[in-house]
Amino acid sequence: MNELPQVVITGTSAPDEKPPSATAGIVLREQIESRPWLRPAEVLESVPGLVVTQHTGGGKANQYFLRGFNLDHGTDVSIYALGMPVNQRTHAHGQGYTDLNFLIPELVDNLVYRKGPYLARDGDFATAGAVDIDYVNELDHPFATIGVGSKGYRRLLVAGSWGLKKPGDDSGRLLLAVETAGYDGPWTVPEKLSKQNLLMRYSVGTVEQGWRLTGMHYRASWTGTDQIPERAVTQGLIGEFDSLDSTTGGKTDLSALMWNAHGSNARGPWQANAYVAGYGLDLYSNFTYATNAVQGDQFRQYDQRTKLGGDLSQTWRYQALGATQSTTTGLQVRQDRIGDLRLQLTQGRQFYDTVRQDQVTQTSAGVFIDQASQWTPWLRTRVGVRADQFSFKVRSDLPANSGSTSAHIVSPKVALTLTPTRAIAVFANWGQGFHSNDARGTVIQVDPDPRSATFGQPTDRVTPLARATGTELGVTWTTPRLQLSAALWSLNLQSELVYVGDAGSTVAGRPSRRHGIELAGVWQPSSRWTVDADATFAQARYDDGDASASYVQGAVRRTVSAGVTYRPGSAWSTALRVRHIGPRQLTEDGNLLGASSTVLNAQVGYKINRKLSLALEVLNLTNQRFADMEYIYNSQLPGEAAAVTDRHYRPGAPRSARLMVKWSFD
């Protein structure tokens, strides 16, 4: 029988390796391979309830939704890839900016996910949840894949691994992958996405003990395909796939070196990671079009930085107080050295004014202890606490907005697990977590934006670290062929504080509360069939007593995802997946909702022989018309006398097909 595509983390008999909650799990490579995907980051949609969309060109970070959060580009979900945090602090476009376009889905080995702030090892941004993405160390055979499709899609991937020998006869493995891809999309102004990706990994050892060194370089460029105002479409000024500014877009690059090691000593298992990365983004956007009737509203966000850090953890396993005990302690450090951070006003990508320009150094250190105890065969507890210290240093072109500050936060966690039978587990979780805010907002004194009515006037600073408090009650039922889970959860956020990168100023957010229910299941009636489904329902409200404006904008009320995979033999495979996104809250008064959407994707694969295989993907199979993203805000079209409050949306991609040809080498 094949592996179930979504399984809870069972680990060994050690209590630290058992699932911390009913909504923690692992997605295996087999499930990722059977999913058709439009964008690389959509591998995250294998996490139940996590939705990935886009509001502009494909080279920009995606938009994420989870547990009643519009996570923007990653504000409240912590994502690690290959042992390195992907969320960018104090980013030019938005706090927590998480660009996963460098992912190569064929190399993903697994995704480990945890919902809520319940695990002590999870720090910054891990409020709604956390995801760890890892690659394989080796491949069965080297291969080359060529992909072509509608809307100008093209892709070439060449990857392979080779065994090497080190002195002392220790075996080593070298993994290499090269990718190049492009996409124009359905847009009148072609997206012209062009990306190149290179990965090298050298690994030594086994699952129990070893180390690996990974190097990667990624770069991309694209033309922006931003959201458009509904009135421009209904009035016949533009079509749904037209643009109001053909010069938006950008380019980005990432070069990184990651070292990971793991092993065991007399105390128990240990783990160590270190990373250094150089990152750049040069982004041109225009969301309001022509409130400046002369030069237009285009602006540039520029980010150049070096990110470095690492972590170390040690677990002690022993018997005490009549129970099996596991004590894990860890240290995590990180520094972002942002040498050039700009917000500028542009017209046709030509600069004419600077809103602000900064240099930022942001440093953090976190320590944690996690105590897992197996008291009886049916009773397990987990108690943890982490402490984080942050320092922020900003040097701005406006001296009043320069300065230094620091902040610290302590986050306790408690979990109780009952297993009355081998199949059933009941979980109760309570924990606190946090997300950091943009360093510029922690020391700001005056509004630097010449477009603002409050330009040069005093403005509020933001709290550096915003606390979240979560609770969850869940149950899982696990048999060899069927897995079911259900959870009730709530999450209170001290403040939805954000730094508005588009304006160069801060907004003092409001406290909020969210609660919901999650359901998930995987059924494998036979070795040929696998059926999986998940559904989430959430409510998000501000919690400051203002009933007239209590709805959190952008929050999704429900999501549903389901899929069927059929493998009748070694040659054929088919998969059909449906994703439903419920209505989004567009205004704080609750009067306007975005439309829901339901999209069906399909994949058919055929292995001609041991070397040659084909795969056909059809995305948006029923050619549904839907919006990838929706917003309500003020904008002004050329010729309009004043700004107009309107719905702005980015249409989802119509039906498209992609054919992949894979050749495996001996």
Side-chain angles (χ1 to χ4, degrees), residues 339-354:
D340 196 351
L341 196 59
R342 301 184 214 171
L343 175 59
Q344 296 176 318
L345 306 182
T346 56
Q347 181 180 18
R349 298 200 184 192
Q350 299 300 310
F351 159 81
Y352 67 86
D353 200 2
T354 295

Side-chain angles (χ1 to χ4, degrees), residues 10 15 36 58 107-108 170 221 238 279 300 302 311 339 347 359 393 403 443 485 515 525 551 582 621 641-642:
T10 54
L107 299 185
V108 175
D170 289 333
S221 62
I238 61 172
Y279 167 83
R300 178 195 192 197
Y302 184 81
D311 59 81
Q347 181 180 18
Q359 293 178 325
K393 184 178 180 181
V443 299
S485 67
H515 62 269
Y551 291 80
L621 181 64

Side-chain angles (χ1 to χ4, degrees), residues 247-321:
T247 62
T248 60
K251 58 183 179 180
T252 189
D253 63 89
L254 173 66
S255 299
L257 187 67
M258 293 82 76
W259 174 80
N260 318 107
H262 64 280
S264 296
N265 51 34
R267 304 175 183 87
W270 59 268
Q271 204 171 39
N273 300 288
Y275 57 87
V276 59
Y279 167 83
L281 175 72
D282 193 1
L283 179 65
Y284 295 85
S285 306
N286 186 347
F287 302 132
T288 54
Y289 319 119
T291 59
N292 180 335
V294 178
Q295 291 148 320
D297 295 353
Q298 190 183 96
F299 57 91
R300 178 195 192 197
Q301 292 163 314
Y302 184 81
D303 193 314
Q304 286 288 333
R305 71 176 65 205
T306 299
K307 174 176 62 179
L308 64 159
D311 59 81
L312 177 66
S313 64
Q314 170 73 58
T315 298
W316 287 261
R317 292 174 177 165
Y318 54 95
Q319 296 289 322
L321 302 176

Side-chain angles (χ1 to χ4, degrees), residues 328-399:
T328 302
T329 61
L331 168 68
Q332 301 165 344
V333 295
R334 173 177 172 177
Q335 185 174 80
D336 289 74
R337 302 176 181 176
I338 310 169
D340 196 351
L341 196 59
R342 301 184 214 171
L343 175 59
Q344 296 176 318
L345 306 182
T346 56
Q347 181 180 18
R349 298 200 184 192
Q350 299 300 310
F351 159 81
Y352 67 86
D353 200 2
T354 295
V355 175
R356 67 178 299 168
Q357 185 170 358
D358 304 271
Q359 293 178 325
V360 179
T361 301
Q362 184 169 336
T363 307
S364 67
V367 295
F368 69 87
I369 182 168
D370 183 274
Q371 181 65 44
S373 306
Q374 188 77 53
W375 300 101
T376 70
W378 53 269
L379 175 62
R380 185 169 73 249
T381 61
R382 196 162 190 163
V383 179
V385 64
R386 67 174 293 128
D388 290 270
Q389 177 71 33
F390 278 67
S391 67
F392 309 87
K393 184 178 180 181
V394 179
R395 195 169 93 185
S396 181
D397 58 345
L398 186 62

Side-chain angles (χ1 to χ4, degrees), residues 20-21 116-119 382-384 410-416 427-433 467-473 490 492:
S21 72
Y118 307 127
L119 202 60
R382 196 162 190 163
V383 179
V410 177
S411 307
K413 331 269 183 175
V414 180
L416 171 69
F427 300 84
N429 298 83
W430 177 91
Q432 292 187 328
R467 184 184 299 279
T469 302
T471 57
E472 182 173 307
L473 180 64
S490 68
N492 295 340

Side-chain angles (χ1 to χ4, degrees), residues 56 117 204 329 386 406 558:
T56 188
V204 174
T329 61
R386 67 174 293 128
S406 62
R558 67 177 179 268

Side-chain angles (χ1 to χ4, degrees), residues 403-456:
S404 301
T405 190
S406 62
H408 67 274
I409 195 168
V410 177
S411 307
K413 331 269 183 175
V414 180
L416 171 69
T417 305
L418 304 175
T419 53
T421 71
R422 290 178 60 88
I424 297 174
V426 180
F427 300 84
N429 298 83
W430 177 91
Q432 292 187 328
F434 70 96
H435 71 246
S436 64
N437 217 322
D438 193 296
R440 293 169 291 180
T442 67
V443 299
I444 194 170
Q445 294 191 61
V446 297
D447 184 350
D449 191 350
R451 301 166 295 178
S452 171
T454 60
F455 173 56

